Amino acid sequence: MTMHRILVINPGSTSTKVGVFDDEKPIFEQTIRHDDEELNKYKTIIDQYEFRKNVILEVLHKEGINISKLSAVCGRGGLLRPIEGGTYAVNEIMLEDLKIGYSGQHASNLGGIIANEIAQGLNIPAFIVDPVVVDELDPVARISGQSLMERRSVFHALNQKAVARKVSKQLEQSYNDLNLIIAHMGGGVSVGAHKKGRVIDVNNGLDGEGPFSPERAGTVPIGDLIKLCYSGDYYINEVQKMMVGQGGLVSYLGTADAIKVENMIEDGDEKAALVYEAMAYQVAKEIGSAAAVIEGNIDAIILTGGIAYSDFIVNEITKRVKWMARVIVLPGENELQALCEGALRVLREEEEAKIYPGEFAVKSLV
């Protein structure tokens, strides 16, 4: 079998993660940190792409990695139009949507742009894999209860899809034949109901649904939120920060660091213990909701993300949901590996690269 060398790029707000893989084997991984002073030179996120591309190439050159041997470049998918999951070939429509920020501005939008810039010079393909805007919701899941609003699918699609495939292999079955509930627990929490290879329902882990997390408030009492918004005491950006960035553990305990919270608990902090338990309690409740979505026909419940390293959280969730199905714990995110595997599936002709934007997953109900 031909070996494929793949460069993967995952831009974040203040860093860029880079990896080089020979098939599934990582031969180089590094997180490149960017100083605020460097990034502040650029008016928009998209303006950073040339700077970040050059830094990546400099690091690879310094490490002695010959990019002429690459088979493909794969970038993190950004805030594109809603699309079904899979590996997508970067094309002009995608590049334009990334540049304008079709669904919002975020550093992840740079992934496909930088991948394409590098790949074009080498005459090799550029891909993205399972961006956060993956939308496979059933029509019934889009109904919010207010006709002016629809529920949106914004979640940790890359990691959820990757661990779904990994567990499917462990169970010696196809992902398309299994029903899985996957809880990704990191800075945000998303719990997806995976039915036969499609995420038919999931909480919007970005800005407003589901369990609270280290820094996000999740679903809050709506009446109190309305009163807060119209109290005259806060600007809209302040309320937004309360919900995303300063919600969850930060709101109650002043930190988003789960390790610090567990140290507080060990030192006898009863409030920290209650709040931490409540976070696990809410994740378990969301898993229960997902179980109803797939009518209790569950092959496995998977706990993943950085917080899945916490025995406390895993045990608290497991004791509440283990009666539904087996619980499998796969901690961490492994995003670079997931990007590599998405590209490999296409290069090995195990699946075809999808063409963006394809058919829109979201069809307005209003």
Side-chain angles (χ1 to χ4, degrees):
M1 182 183 294
T2 302
M3 187 195 74
H4 300 287
R5 175 164 289 187
I6 301 169
L7 169 63
V8 295
I9 301 165
N10 182 6
S13 57
T14 60
S15 66
T16 304
K17 295 179 181 178
V18 181
V20 179
F21 292 76
D22 283 345
D23 291 335
E24 293 91 346
K25 181 181 178 182
I27 62 170
F28 170 74
E29 292 186 43
Q30 184 170 320
T31 298
I32 304 169
R33 305 289 178 185
H34 307 300
D35 294 336
D36 288 340
E37 185 177 345
E38 290 177 319
L39 299 182
N40 288 340
K41 296 176 183 177
Y42 304 97
K43 291 183 179 180
T44 67
I45 289 173
I46 297 305
D47 290 340
Q48 299 173 14
Y49 89 86
E50 189 76 31
F51 159 72
R52 294 212 195 199
K53 181 193 77 171
N54 290 335
V55 171
I56 291 168
L57 294 175
E58 287 171 8
V59 167
L60 295 175
H61 178 72
K62 182 178 178 181
E63 294 296 323
I65 294 173
N66 184 353
I67 64 171
S68 68
K69 295 183 179 180
L70 294 175
S71 304
V73 187
C74 189
R76 179 71 184 269
L79 296 175
L80 294 159
R81 311 181 196 204
I83 52 177
E84 66 179 359
T87 300
Y88 285 78
V90 178
N91 59 19
E92 289 302 319
I93 300 174
M94 180 187 295
L95 291 171
E96 183 61 27
D97 283 351
L98 290 171
K99 289 173 183 176
I100 67 173
Y102 187 95
S103 295
Q105 294 291 347
H106 189 270
S108 60
N109 291 3
L110 295 168
I113 297 172
I114 297 172
N116 182 71
E117 287 278 324
I118 295 174
Q120 275 197 329
L122 300 170
N123 197 29
I124 57 176
F127 303 111
I128 66 162
V129 182
D130 291 325
V132 295
V133 292
V134 164
D135 188 331
E136 300 167 341
L137 297 188
D138 278 350
V140 70
R142 302 190 189 283
I143 304 295
S144 70
Q146 168 49 252
S147 64
L148 297 177
M149 309 172 191
E150 289 183 8
R151 293 187 64 241
R152 295 191 303 141
S153 177
V154 185
F155 71 110
H156 304 89
L158 181 63
N159 188 46
Q160 285 210 23
K161 289 280 189 176
V163 298
R165 293 185 180 97
K166 185 172 184 179
V167 168
S168 299
K169 287 183 180 179
Q170 291 177 358
L171 300 179
E172 298 182 343
Q173 295 188 62
S174 167
Y175 173 42
N176 295 331
D177 293 331
L178 293 174
N179 290 341
L180 305 168
I181 297 174
I182 303 179
H184 176 107
M185 302 175 291
V189 172
S190 62
V191 180
H194 296 238
K195 183 178 181 180
K196 311 299 183 187
R198 298 181 67 82
V199 185
I200 63 170
D201 203 345
V202 65
N203 64 293
N204 180 339
L206 177 66
D207 61 5
E209 285 186 330
F212 74 82
S213 72
E215 58 184 37
R216 296 175 189 174
T219 301
V220 296
I222 192 167
D224 292 335
L225 178 60
I226 292 170
K227 291 175 184 176
L228 186 73
C229 290
Y230 285 91
S231 66
D233 295 330
Y234 305 100
Y235 292 105
I236 184 173
N237 64 312
E238 293 176 308
V239 176
Q240 288 171 331
K241 285 182 180 179
M242 289 180 192
M243 299 300 108
V244 180
Q246 296 175 358
L249 296 182
V250 174
S251 175
Y252 287 101
L253 304 174
T255 181
D257 189 329
I259 295 176
K260 288 184 179 179
V261 174
E262 294 195 10
N263 290 336
M264 292 165 67
I265 295 170
E266 289 180 5
D267 291 338
D269 190 322
E270 294 182 0
K271 179 182 177 181
L274 177 62
V275 171
Y276 209 46
E277 179 185 356
M279 186 170 71
Y281 172 89
Q282 289 197 5
V283 173
K285 280 179 64 178
E286 196 73 18
I287 290 172
S289 296
V293 167
I294 52 180
E295 301 176 359
N297 182 16
I298 312 162
D299 293 293
I301 297 167
I302 306 169
L303 306 180
T304 186
I307 295 179
Y309 284 110
S310 167
D311 290 338
F312 181 101
I313 293 294
V314 167
N315 292 337
E316 286 294 316
I317 294 172
T318 300
K319 75 180 184 183
R320 295 183 184 276
V321 304
K322 62 183 179 182
W323 59 273
M324 301 181 200
R326 75 187 87 181
V327 178
I328 299 172
V329 183
L330 292 173
E333 296 186 0
N334 301 315
E335 292 173 333
L336 296 183
Q337 186 80 41
L339 290 170
C340 168
E341 290 171 357
L344 274 177
R345 287 192 295 273
V346 172
L347 295 175
R348 291 172 173 170
E349 300 183 349
E350 296 171 2
E351 62 183 59
E352 291 185 7
K354 295 182 177 178
I355 305 302
Y356 178 85
E359 294 185 11
F360 272 82
V362 172
K363 297 179 180 179
S364 178
L365 302 170
V366 179

